[in-house]
Amino acid sequence: MKTIYKSLAIILTLVLVLSLGACQTNNAGNGTEQELVNGQFVGEGRGKGGPVKLELTFENSVINEIKVLEHNESDYTEPVIADLTNQMIKTNSTNVDIVSGATLTSHAVINAVKDAIKKSGAILTAKEAIQESEKAEDISTDIVIIGSGGAGLSAAVEATNSGAKVIVVEKNAFMGGNTNYATGGMNAAGTKYQEAKGIEDSPELHFQDTMKGGHDKNDPALLKVFTDKAADTVYWLEELGAKLSEIGRSGGQSVDRIHKGPEGMPIGTHLMKVFANQVEKLNIEVRLNTKAVEMISEGNKVTGIKVENKNGDTYTISAKAVILASGGFGANPDIVTKYKPELEGFGTTNQPGATGDVFSMLEKLDIALTDMKEIQTHPTVVPRINEMITEGVRGDGAILVNRDGKRFINELETRDTVSKAILSQEGNSAFLIFDQQVVDTASAIKKYRDAGLLTEATSLKELGEKLKINATELEGTIAAYNEYYKGQNDSEFGRRLLNVELTKAPFYGVEVSPAIHHTMGGIKINTNTEVINNSGNVVEGLYAAGEVTGGIHGGNRIGGNAVTDITVFGKIAGKNAAEAIKGR
Ligand code: FAD
Ligand code: SIN
C-alpha cells in the first residue's frame, strides 16, 4: 500500500470561511439549527487496487482539506485523484464528474469523501464552482504531437532535445494512454543485460522470431530498423531515468528477451514516470483534455491541427510538422468489427480513449492504411472486468488448465495460438494456475493478488474446489508438470521454459479468456516515420509512430514488442521532424 501523507495533501485556498470558529450552528434551511462540524474524519472507498482512504478536514461544515492517506491505484491516476479532491474542496460537494479512463478510481475517491462526510455528520452547502475557462486561442509551434503515450512522449523528448518547440495534445485528463497499462516489459536483443546473464541473442534472431510470430506479414524494412535499434533504445530510456536490467520470457520468443521494470513492476507505470519527469525537466507543453479533431493541410502538406478543449471550444494549432501518436483502436467496437467481424462482443484490455479518432481525420489526405484486419486478442484476461493478467505470469512459471483440470497447450505459444486454444475449451475460458514462487517474482503479479483478482488456497485440492474445476485431475496435472520440470522435458506440449516446480503454497488460480488487446494495423509509414498516401508518396510535414501505425507486427504481435515499437519509432519521429523543419 502506498502511504501518501504530504504529496497529495490539497489545501483550500478559496474564500470560504463563514465566521470561522465563532459560529457553532447553522440554519439548515428548514428552520432547524444544524451543528457545524469541525475536525478530521477518515473515509474509505473501494478502487481498482483496493481501498482508497482519505482524511477530510472540516471547518464549520466546509471541507477545507483532503489528504490521501492510502491507495493502491495505478500511478497515472494520481492527477485524477488530485483533480477530483480539488474540485470537491472548491465546490464543497461530491457532485463531480467521473474521469473517463479512471472510472473505478473516480468512484473510490468520491465514495471515500461521501463516507467521511457521513461519519462527520456534516450537512454541506454546495458552493458555485468558479469556472476556469480554458483558453481557445489559435497558436503556432514547431511540432504538434497528437497523443501523450509512449510514442508521443518519446517523440516530444527527442524533438525538444533537437531544438524544436513542441506541443503535445492529449484528449484524456491524464497522460499515458495504453502505455499506462503496459505490464510485461519491452523486448530488445543483444543487450548488456542479456550478455551478463549469458543469454545469447541478436537483432537477427529477434527479427526472425518477430517475423515468425507475425506470420511473415511484417514489413521487413520497418522490422529491421526496429530490431536493430531496440537495444540502443533501452539504453536511451535508461539515460532518461529508466531501469530495465531485469529480463524474462514472453510467448513466441526463442530466448529470454523481455526487459522489465525494477522488481518486475509494470513497465508502463515505470516508463510513464520517466516521461513525466522529462516533460517537467524539458518544460514540454502537454495540453490535457484537448482532442485533435481535424487536420489542417494545403494540398499534400500538413500545416497544423484543429483541437477541441474541455469546454467544447475549438482552436487551431499551426505547426511546421505534425506527429500522429494517438494509439490504436482496440476500444472502438465499430472499427474493430468493420475489419474483423468475428470479434463482435469481445471485451478489450484497452483504455477507453483507444478509439482510432485520427483515421477519419486523415481521409482528406488519402492516407494509406495497412493490415487493418490484423487485430490481436490477449489470451489471459479476467472475463467481464477485462483486467489483463500479464503474459509474465506464464513466463514466470504459471500453467493453463481447463475445467477438467487438464493442460491443453504449451502456455508460451504466441498469443493467437493460446487465445484460440482457450476459446475451444468448455466455457470459452481457462484457468491460470501458479504458486507462491511465481507471485514472488514480480510486483506486477503481487498487485493482482492485492487487488483481489486471484483465488488463493492452501492446497491444490482446495484451489480446484474453489475454482469449481476438477480438483483431482488438477492435482495429477501439477504432479505431471513437476516431473517435466525435473526432467526439463515437457513431453506433452513441448513447453521449453520449465522454470518453476509448482510446489510452494499458497496456490493461486484465476479464470481467463481472450479480449481485444492490440491493433497491429494502422497508418502506413516508411522507415523515417513519414506518412505515406495511397499514391505511395510522403505527406509533407506528417509523421506517425506507435500503435496508430501498421506493418511492424504483421499478423500477430509478440508480447513486449509494442513498447519497443513506440519508443524506437517515437524517437525517430521526433528526431526526423525536428531535423526536417530546421531553418523553416
Ligand atoms: P497510447 O499509449 O495509447 O497513447 C495514445 C494517446 O493518444 C492516448 O493517451 C489517447 O488518449 C491519445 N489520443 C487518442 N486520440 C486522440 C485525439 N484525437 N486527440 C488527442 N489525443 C488523442 N506492449 C508491450 O510491448 N509490453 C507490455 O507489457 C504491454 N502491456 C500491455 C498491457 C495492456 C493492458 C495493454 C492494453 C497494452 C499493452 N501493451 C504492451 C501494448 C502497448 O502498451 C501499446 O501498444 C502502447 O502503449 C501504445 O503506445 P502509443 O503511444 O502508440 O499509444
Ligand atoms: C502482457 O504483459 O502480457 C502484455 C504484454 C504485451 O502486450 O506486449
Side-chain angles (χ1 to χ4, degrees):
M1 290 264 171
K2 267 179 245 173
T3 305
I4 305 167
Y5 284 99
K6 288 183 185 155
S7 62
L8 283 179
I10 293 156
I11 297 162
L12 180 68
T13 52
L14 300 175
V15 182
L16 49 79
V17 182
L18 307 161
S19 53
L20 236 183
C23 176
Q24 292 305 306
T25 57
N26 190 23
N27 194 304
N30 56 5
T32 58
E33 293 284 300
Q34 284 292 332
E35 224 169 278
L36 291 176
V37 171
N38 288 287
Q40 274 105 26
F41 295 86
V42 174
E44 192 173 312
R46 183 144 192 102
K48 196 169 178 177
V52 172
K53 277 192 193 155
L54 304 177
E55 183 190 80
L56 272 64
T57 302
F58 292 92
E59 271 190 30
N60 294 332
S61 292
V62 172
I63 307 168
N64 76 356
E65 187 179 355
I66 302 177
K67 275 185 187 167
V68 181
L69 297 184
E70 199 175 285
H71 78 80
N72 201 20
E73 303 301 278
S74 304
D75 288 7
Y76 75 88
T77 63
E78 292 202 351
V80 173
I81 297 172
D83 190 43
L84 286 173
T85 49
N86 212 357
Q87 283 185 55
M88 288 191 269
I89 293 169
K90 279 183 179 174
T91 57
N92 201 38
S93 120
T94 54
N95 192 11
V96 291
D97 289 339
I98 300 295
V99 177
S100 167
T103 314
L104 293 177
T105 307
S106 303
H107 281 298
V109 171
I110 295 167
N111 288 337
V113 172
K114 283 183 177 165
D115 185 36
I117 294 170
K118 193 171 166 203
K119 284 177 184 155
S120 75
I123 295 177
L124 304 192
T125 308
K127 288 182 292 169
E128 191 82 11
I130 301 160
Q131 280 295 337
E132 289 157 20
S133 58
E134 295 205 346
K135 280 196 204 136
E137 285 164 12
D138 293 351
I139 46 164
S140 43
T141 186
D142 288 338
I143 300 173
V144 64
I145 299 175
I146 306 175
S148 70
L153 295 182
S154 295
V157 167
E158 193 70 353
T160 307
N161 283 334
S162 305
K165 164 92 186 92
V166 169
I167 294 178
V168 180
V169 297
E170 168 56 58
K171 68 178 177 181
N172 282 341
F174 47 86
M175 297 193 296
N178 270 351
T179 307
N180 284 322
Y181 293 5
T183 308
M186 86 179 264
N187 295 326
T191 64
K192 58 185 177 191
Y193 303 118
Q194 288 177 304
E195 206 181 305
K197 292 198 161 95
I199 300 163
E200 279 183 38
D201 199 7
S202 65
E204 292 73 36
L205 188 58
H206 190 185
F207 183 100
Q208 284 164 26
D209 283 347
T210 306
M211 230 350 150
K212 186 172 169 216
H215 311 305
D216 292 319
K217 291 181 180 167
N218 318 53
D219 178 322
L222 291 176
L223 187 54
K224 174 112 177 57
V225 172
F226 168 91
T227 49
D228 281 356
K229 291 202 181 292
D232 280 346
T233 305
V234 165
Y235 306 144
W236 176 72
L237 289 166
E238 292 200 319
E239 276 165 30
L240 300 183
K243 287 194 170 58
L244 296 164
S245 58
E246 291 178 29
I247 303 168
R249 179 81 59 103
S250 62
Q253 306 266 35
S254 307
V255 295
D256 288 0
R257 180 182 288 146
I258 190 162
H259 292 63
K260 302 180 181 197
E263 290 162 20
M265 80 185 285
I267 184 98
T269 310
H270 180 53
L271 291 184
M272 281 309 300
K273 261 193 195 146
V274 169
F275 284 126
N277 285 340
Q278 289 297 316
V279 164
E280 208 175 311
K281 185 175 154 208
L282 300 173
N283 208 9
I284 296 171
E285 185 174 349
V286 179
R287 296 192 170 203
L288 298 175
N289 294 307
T290 304
K291 182 178 179 183
V293 289
E294 195 181 318
M295 299 298 301
I296 302 173
S297 55
E298 289 159 12
N300 190 41
K301 183 179 171 189
V302 168
T303 56
I305 58 172
K306 194 170 266 187
V307 297
E308 186 181 283
N309 71 11
K310 200 179 179 180
N311 307 332
D313 300 326
T314 55
Y315 61 95
T316 298
I317 304 180
S318 304
K320 295 170 191 161
V322 175
I323 300 178
L324 306 166
S326 49
F329 56 92
N332 187 329
D334 291 341
I335 309 186
V336 166
T337 52
K338 173 178 166 193
Y339 290 104
K340 203 163 178 176
E342 59 270 37
L343 289 178
E344 168 110 52
F346 274 63
T348 180
T349 62
N350 284 203
Q351 62 109 359
T355 44
D357 311 346
V358 294
F359 296 126
S360 57
M361 286 165 57
L362 292 167
E363 274 165 14
K364 65 178 178 187
L365 286 162
D366 197 29
I367 298 300
L369 300 178
T370 181
D371 296 341
M372 291 297 280
K373 67 175 180 23
E374 305 298 353
I375 301 170
Q376 171 176 80
T377 57
H378 192 291
T380 59
V381 181
V382 182
R384 293 168 292 280
I385 59 168
N386 291 325
E387 191 68 37
M388 182 199 77
I389 304 293
T390 177
E391 210 164 293
V393 175
R394 283 170 282 145
D396 289 344
I399 61 162
L400 278 166
V401 302
N402 57 20
R403 284 179 166 71
D404 295 331
K406 291 184 174 162
R407 285 176 74 215
F408 52 90
I409 186 80
N410 165 5
E411 293 82 2
L412 293 176
E413 267 292 354
T414 51
R415 289 180 176 169
D416 50 348
T417 306
V418 179
S419 289
K420 202 167 154 200
I422 292 176
L423 287 172
S424 60
Q425 303 307 307
E426 188 195 331
N428 305 125
S429 66
F431 298 83
L432 277 167
I433 305 288
F434 46 102
D435 74 351
Q436 185 60 37
Q437 297 171 87
V438 176
V439 172
D440 289 339
T441 54
S443 63
I445 306 177
K446 288 192 191 91
K447 253 189 136 169
Y448 301 137
R449 183 195 57 195
D450 297 344
L453 291 173
L454 308 179
T455 299
E456 193 174 327
T458 51
S459 69
L460 287 166
K461 186 162 184 297
E462 188 195 355
L463 184 67
E465 284 163 3
K466 280 185 170 174
L467 293 172
K468 297 191 173 52
I469 63 179
N470 189 321
T472 313
E473 284 290 351
L474 177 66
E475 285 178 310
T477 298
I478 301 285
Y481 182 79
N482 287 343
E483 286 306 309
Y484 303 151
Y485 165 83
K486 284 178 196 148
Q488 284 297 297
N489 178 23
D490 172 13
S491 51
E492 246 178 314
F493 297 104
R495 173 173 169 150
R496 280 183 295 162
L497 185 71
L498 298 158
N499 46 353
V500 177
E501 189 181 2
L502 298 169
T503 49
K504 189 172 174 196
F507 296 96
Y508 298 88
V510 55
E511 186 183 0
V512 288
S513 186
I516 295 157
H517 184 61
H518 194 87
T519 49
M520 276 82 70
I523 295 163
K524 195 172 169 61
I525 53 168
N526 62 19
T527 54
N528 297 323
T529 68
E530 291 164 306
V531 171
I532 308 296
N533 65 19
N534 281 317
S535 314
N537 298 320
V538 161
V539 179
E540 210 183 318
L542 190 59
Y543 299 79
E547 200 173 331
V548 73
T549 67
I552 291 145
H553 307 290
N556 174 59
R557 178 171 69 77
I558 296 283
N561 270 354
V563 173
T564 315
D565 170 10
I566 64 178
T567 48
V568 165
F569 288 101
K571 187 168 178 276
I572 294 175
K575 181 94 183 159
N576 286 347
E579 292 301 327
I581 62 169
K582 274 195 178 143
R584 279 208 227 144

